[in-house]
Amino acid sequence: MTRSCALVLVNYNGGRSILDCLQSIDDELSEVVVVDNASTDGSDALIERERGDVRLIRNEGNVGFAAAANQAIRATSADVVVLLNPDVIVRPGALGSLVEAVRAHPKAGVVAPLILNPDGSVQPTKRAFPSIWQAALHGLVGLVWPGNPGTRAYTLADASFAGARTVDWAAGTAMAIKREAFEAVGGFDERFFFFVEDVDLCKRMWDASFEVWFEPEAVIVHEWGGSWTQRPLKFLWMHQLNLFRYVLKHRRGAWVAAYPFIALGLLARFGLLALRWVITRRSVPKHRRLEGSAS
């Protein structure tokens, strides 16, 4: 089943983690492509030396995640492409479950797996498009009260995920993408250099009458953080800017009047996140069991 599936990864100073990721894949794939965004840690050389079965594309500079993901996907020809972060471990059968889910749901443009932290807790990578109040509660109150109603609604913490179901959007940490849908919406918006490009892609999928699905039978383990934590303040700021870019692109109506307050809220959020990093040296929160179990 997965022989007609391509696998793509974007690497930026991923170290040996990308080799562990590739080693964890037990499926036979038609194509495996890694786009390296000018890594300086030698991880591109590791891939070239130890994984002769992988097509490595080196960029002269860091073009950003969205642009590199587009580059990788368009370097393949399979009708289903699985995009993975280089710091994930794929559980046996996960890729096959994703591909089967894409084929089982004719309108699916994206299918996302269940993503676990290394300790077995669930990462909240499947989410809703929040209302203004849910966004405000999650963005500010959620930093000190992660179980607040806005965050729980946004992260679908109280939803049932015993089986496959549609969701508004899912994180680009790991997702199977139908090529037909990807091409129809024009791929990732490269103005989102890093962060929020996955939310934007899923929103445009829905707008184009494609669906976003969550498949809990496909399980992937991810150490939350990744290479962006090497320069956390820069990327925390970039995250807030891209959130505002997304709002300007997709939110109209009552949201327009809220634009100035959203900008101020995101500025305040950056300040709080930066303060947390200064105090704790943590750029991502500790594992939270918002969703209870893996089911």
Side-chain angles (χ1 to χ4, degrees), residues 2 13 25 32 38 41 54 69 74 76 109 136 166 182 216 222 261 278 295:
T2 53
N13 292 337
I25 297 164
V32 181
D41 67 344
V54 171
R74 288 170 178 154
T76 66
T166 58
F182 180 83
H222 177 232
F261 303 100
V278 168
S295 61

Side-chain angles (χ1 to χ4, degrees), residues 2 4-8 29-32 76-78 80-82 179:
T2 53
S4 59
C5 165
L7 176 70
V8 299
L29 299 159
S30 58
E31 303 164 278
V32 181
T76 66
S77 59
V80 178
V81 182
V82 176
R179 183 175 301 277

